[in-house]
Amino acid sequence: MGGPVGGPDRAQGAPAGPEAPAEPDPGPGHAPDPDDPHAEADTEFEYAWDSRQDLYRHSPAIVLGRAAQLGGSLVGGDQHGVSGGQVTGDVILGGSKVEYHLGGDGEERSGEIPVAEVETLAGHFVFPPHAEDAASADPASHADATCGEWEPGSPFDLALTRLRLRRVTVLSGPATTGRQAAALMLLRAVGSTGYRALDPALSPGRLAGELRERCGHLVADFPTTAERPLREHHLRALSERLHTLDGHLVIVVGPHPVVHGDDGHVPWRPPEPAALIRGHLRHKDLAGHHADDLLALPEVRSVLGHRRPVAELARFADRIADHARGALSLAELAGFGHYAAEQQVREWFDSTEHSLHDKAFLIALATFDEAPYPLTAELSDVLFGFLQHIENPGEPTRIPVFGTSSAQRVEHARADRYQEAEETEWGPVLQTKVQFRDPLTAITLLREVWTGHPSARPALVAWLRRLADDPRPVVRTRAASTAAVLARTDLPSTMALLIRPWAVERRLRARLAAANALALAHHLGAPHVPRILRGWCTTPDHRLRRAAVRTYALIGDAFPREAVEALLEAARALDGRSAQARRSWPDELDELAQSAATLLLAAGQDAGACAAGAAAAELWPALVPLTRGGTARDLVLRTVVHACGPTDGADGTGRPLLLDLFARAEAAAGTPGGLLRQSLAALWRSVLNDPVCSGSGLEAMRRWVRAAGRDPDAERALAELLPLLAVSVEDAKRLTYLLENLRDGAGPEPLAVALRLRGTLFPPTAPAPCPVP
């Protein structure tokens, strides 16, 4: 993040916020236009990096990832229209939640799993049967399959084959399916004699450093998202390391992981509930009763008729055993299953048995899939009011206060309720969420409403416009994601009715909704989004320019060269505008720099080790010649300052992303990584020698040094960067003064890390300049 660059406050070295490189005096251009009665709405502000984080945090999983791209009535190659045939296939998409974790390098990041615990688990573990669609699986997966207690072609067999071949496998599935127990059984099946649990907060690139010799390793609940995917080179590096150590690793991820590479992940499918119960009963005292007779009891069958978490089934097996021994009555046994019988819905929108209120809930659930249930129910009532006004314009809206129960509404929608932590500005909060069982339902339903029931469009448009102005970020983002689905389905109408009206509004929230909608529409494969942005970026209408500039921050890393060139073109166009036109958007150059910094950082996170051809290794060096003068120089220097702020931790904690990019780049001269390092150093020198940006640059460097005090790897990177910045005596004096006078607020002594870094500015034989008094 970062505010406008330059100004007298930053020249004095005043500290900025935790992620803001600089927020100096913005100058007189910030004064509201007295001729614009709504000018105050333009004073709202949100950093471009924050907008990007919110977009990925609150968007539904179906909208992100290549598998979500639609073609005609197809999603990922499978028919999905309500009136278009049968839904087939299995589309696994990326998650929507972004988590960053960072801890000190001295912290213990693994722990031993007792062998006795694994052996106890093996006593009642039940292997799943052969999958019905195993014939379509990779034939090579059966090469070395061990028949043992598991069936060839079963999920366990597929995962075990990969584990034997690669030494690492990724097991995916919901948390309630016993996936962690399956991971331990996989490690046991390959002959592991010791087990260790690794910290899931480790980034993919840091897992290899925690591996032990001749040990089975488990990473449970490893988060993978569109912003933090598990890439092919991560898995290859782990495989190479594990072969060297004669070890194995199972990475357990969620049901919709973002895993790149040919092997991908093995979806874990647990056995049927009856098989799981039978497996738990085989070692219990049943007082002479046979397990099959107990499973045939109506009270037991009623419970097993619903999908249950594996842990619940284990507890239910204990109750069955208690009943067999006479310690529990049939009535008490039946009380374990408290869910109502499942009701099937044949055709939601054509059915006369479902009220308009029910159908409004279905549309709201499609918009807020994987969101908290109370939020979905609340906003479905708002949509019901708009729909009722169309059906009965002369009647007031009547919302049933105590109508159908929440459990019945969710069951009618063929959805599931589950508890999950929702990220808020105050931290994670446990929420009851709702999700369609079929991941294609939400997107199919929205398309059908928009194209199959055009009479509902006025109500849907009014509802989405209201959502876009909601103070809650998740609500605004879901309005944009819904518009993105509609844009992929019908771009002209959605642009005319939703996205362009949002873009030209004075309120920031509406413009962000337009930017988010275009960004997510591009993720879905909507046509012409780059063309729309290019046209808006140079239009005389400053509100359309604002929407385009912010959209480049959100998805510019998908076409980084085109995005950077468009932002440079927009910056050069500033010189040809009149003073009155400049006053309509006084901070345009700074917001252009924010977007450029955001997309460059995003491209850098995907650059790996900066191999040849990586976008970051080409784009940053291309900025160096632009620092010679003119508006392009101002844009580049502001971009560098803004890029210094974002980190890989929450609330400004962790390692700065730009410093991490420098650290990951190959240092050898003549390589793309070496050129990237030299270019970043050259851009830093330009910032520190610029009279406007030097104060902001020095403040950013102070934050980097403080971050290095908590991260030895960051300190090593700074130790390599600082000598590249001290090319003149004045440069060395400036950095020396900064390091010698950096305090942490706890005492008068300089920070120890700052003094260590000061020693890197001068070779041992060269005398250091005298401290500046």
Side-chain angles (χ1 to χ4, degrees):
M1 298 188 310
V5 178
D9 291 342
R10 288 295 170 261
Q12 299 292 330
E19 290 188 20
E23 292 186 28
D25 181 9
H30 260 280
D33 186 351
D35 297 328
D36 186 354
H38 302 280
E40 290 184 2
D42 277 343
T43 62
E44 298 175 283
F45 185 78
E46 181 174 294
Y47 291 114
W49 185 260
D50 289 343
S51 296
R52 182 183 174 88
Q53 299 299 88
D54 281 343
L55 177 67
Y56 282 91
R57 182 180 297 117
H58 298 302
S59 295
I62 188 65
V63 177
L64 299 173
R66 289 182 299 174
Q69 293 185 2
L70 288 76
S73 61
L74 301 179
V75 178
D78 297 326
Q79 189 78 22
H80 84 119
V82 170
S83 56
Q86 181 181 4
V87 179
T88 60
D90 183 19
V91 180
I92 304 297
L93 302 176
S96 59
K97 181 179 175 182
V98 179
E99 294 183 5
Y100 295 95
H101 306 272
L102 190 74
D105 287 65
E107 180 183 348
E108 185 61 43
R109 312 309 289 268
S110 68
E112 181 183 8
I113 302 174
V115 175
E117 180 179 325
V118 178
E119 294 303 317
T120 300
L121 180 63
H124 57 259
F125 186 77
V126 179
F127 297 92
H130 185 286
E132 293 181 359
D133 57 348
S136 62
D138 184 4
S141 64
H142 300 279
D144 296 321
T146 301
C147 294
E149 298 181 75
W150 52 87
E151 297 182 14
S154 67
F156 191 91
D157 179 35
L158 297 175
L160 181 60
T161 301
R162 295 187 185 184
L163 188 59
R164 285 174 170 160
L165 179 64
R166 303 287 188 183
R167 297 295 182 111
V168 59
T169 190
V170 181
L171 198 66
S172 66
T176 59
T177 57
R179 59 188 188 180
Q180 185 169 337
L184 290 173
M185 292 301 97
L186 286 169
L187 294 173
R188 181 177 181 269
V190 294
S192 298
T193 56
Y195 307 87
R196 295 194 70 82
L198 302 185
D199 184 1
L202 288 167
S203 65
R206 300 185 189 180
L207 288 174
E210 299 295 329
L211 300 176
R212 307 286 181 91
E213 290 187 4
R214 294 182 294 276
C215 190
H217 303 84
L218 167 67
V219 185
D221 301 319
F222 189 76
T224 64
T225 64
E227 284 284 85
R228 192 203 187 197
L230 190 59
R231 300 190 180 279
E232 182 177 6
H233 69 271
H234 295 141
L235 296 174
R236 289 186 180 275
L238 288 167
S239 176
E240 181 181 11
R241 180 67 173 162
L242 287 163
H243 274 94
T244 302
L245 297 174
D246 191 23
H248 297 83
L249 169 65
V250 179
I251 303 174
V252 178
V253 297
H256 308 304
V258 183
V259 182
H260 300 170
D262 294 334
D263 286 342
H265 57 95
V266 177
W268 175 248
R269 181 174 52 83
E272 292 297 319
L276 283 168
I277 292 292
R278 188 177 288 107
H280 281 276
L281 292 178
R282 64 191 174 194
H283 297 300
K284 294 183 181 297
D285 177 16
L286 302 181
H289 293 83
H290 196 276
D292 289 339
D293 295 332
L294 294 172
L295 289 172
L297 292 172
E299 292 79 4
V300 173
R301 285 170 23 193
S302 66
V303 172
L304 301 186
H306 299 275
R307 289 179 296 179
R308 301 285 182 180
V310 171
E312 285 189 14
L313 290 172
R315 291 193 294 269
F316 188 55
D318 292 336
R319 295 198 176 191
I320 294 176
D322 291 340
H323 168 71
R325 295 190 301 269
L328 197 71
S329 68
L330 276 176
E332 291 172 320
L333 185 63
F336 189 84
H338 58 277
Y339 292 106
E342 183 177 2
Q343 299 183 11
Q344 295 184 345
V345 179
R346 295 181 177 179
E347 294 183 11
W348 286 328
F349 291 110
D350 293 337
S351 172
T352 58
E353 297 178 2
H354 291 80
S355 65
L356 186 64
H357 191 243
D358 295 330
K359 296 173 182 177
F361 176 77
L362 290 171
I363 299 172
L365 182 55
T367 297
F368 292 95
D369 195 29
E370 303 173 14
Y373 171 80
L375 186 68
T376 305
E378 169 200 341
L379 296 173
S380 73
D381 287 342
V382 178
L383 175 59
F384 171 63
F386 287 121
L387 290 170
Q388 192 184 60
H389 181 72
I390 293 177
E391 280 200 352
N392 301 292
E395 295 184 10
T397 302
R398 294 185 177 90
I399 299 175
V401 179
F402 299 107
T404 307
S405 69
S406 62
Q408 287 180 315
R409 298 180 83 182
V410 173
E411 191 64 32
H412 289 168
R414 296 182 181 180
D416 290 322
R417 292 193 298 177
Y418 60 98
Q419 285 195 325
E420 186 178 67
E422 177 82 3
E423 286 297 325
T424 70
E425 59 183 306
W426 308 281
V429 176
L430 194 63
Q431 295 271 16
T432 298
K433 296 186 175 182
V434 185
Q435 179 182 24
F436 282 116
R437 290 169 188 163
D438 184 348
L440 301 178
T441 301
I443 199 169
T444 303
L445 193 150
L446 292 173
R447 287 178 54 137
E448 175 66 14
V449 171
W450 188 252
T451 59
H453 302 274
S455 58
R457 281 191 179 186
L460 191 59
V461 168
W463 184 62
L464 291 174
R465 288 181 177 177
R466 177 162 174 172
L467 298 187
D469 196 41
D470 195 279
R472 293 163 289 193
V474 62
V475 177
R476 299 196 300 268
T477 304
R478 292 311 182 90
S481 67
T482 301
V485 173
L486 304 183
R488 181 59 186 90
T489 303
D490 180 8
L491 181 65
S493 295
T494 308
M495 288 293 297
L497 297 176
L498 283 172
I499 297 179
R500 200 179 190 283
W502 278 338
V504 298
E505 279 196 27
R506 294 180 174 89
R507 291 182 61 82
L508 173 67
R509 291 174 181 174
R511 295 195 302 271
L512 287 179
N516 289 339
L518 286 173
L520 295 174
H522 185 72
H523 275 296
L524 285 171
H528 312 309
V529 172
R531 179 179 177 181
I532 292 170
L533 297 179
R534 190 85 185 208
W536 283 8
C537 206
T538 54
T539 183
D541 190 332
H542 70 278
R543 296 188 181 93
L544 289 178
R545 295 201 307 274
R546 274 184 156 174
V549 168
R550 185 50 57 95
T551 308
Y552 277 126
L554 303 178
I555 55 164
D557 55 310
F559 41 92
R561 295 169 187 83
E562 180 181 347
V564 170
E565 182 57 38
L567 295 175
L568 284 169
E569 183 180 349
R572 295 186 182 107
L574 291 173
D575 295 332
R577 294 203 180 97
S578 64
Q580 182 177 0
R582 284 173 174 262
R583 285 197 299 271
S584 64
W585 188 9
D587 292 330
E588 183 168 1
L589 183 63
D590 207 71
E591 293 201 33
L592 287 167
Q594 281 193 58
S595 289
T598 299
L599 73 90
L600 286 170
L601 287 177
Q605 289 182 291
D606 292 337
C610 301
E618 296 179 6
L619 290 175
W620 284 103
L623 298 180
V624 176
L626 301 177
T627 60
R628 294 169 183 167
T631 305
R633 170 185 169 84
D634 295 339
L635 175 66
V636 169
L637 297 187
R638 289 168 179 259
T639 297
V640 174
V641 172
H642 283 299
C644 292
T647 65
D648 62 0
D651 300 325
T653 61
R655 185 179 304 170
L657 295 179
L658 188 60
L659 180 61
D660 184 64
L661 178 63
F662 178 88
R664 288 186 285 114
E666 185 180 358
T671 63
L675 177 60
L676 175 60
R677 281 181 162 230
Q678 293 294 333
S679 301
L680 291 175
L683 292 170
W684 254 110
R685 291 195 299 269
S686 297
V687 168
L688 294 178
N689 286 283
D690 184 81
V692 176
C693 294
S694 61
S696 300
L698 290 171
E699 182 57 37
M701 181 60 70
R702 292 185 184 96
R703 287 196 303 277
W704 280 22
V705 173
R706 291 189 177 98
R710 304 182 296 269
D711 185 349
D713 289 336
E715 182 178 348
R716 284 190 289 271
L718 264 182
E720 297 172 2
L721 173 63
L722 288 174
L724 300 178
L725 305 184
V727 297
S728 68
V729 175
E730 290 302 319
D731 293 336
K733 287 182 178 180
R734 180 189 299 113
L735 293 173
T736 300
Y737 180 82
L738 181 148
L739 295 172
E740 291 180 343
N741 291 275
L742 189 59
R743 308 288 190 270
D744 61 0
E749 296 299 323
L751 290 177
V753 64
L755 296 181
R756 292 194 299 269
L757 290 172
R758 178 187 179 279
T760 66
L761 294 175
F762 313 99
T765 57
C770 297
V772 179

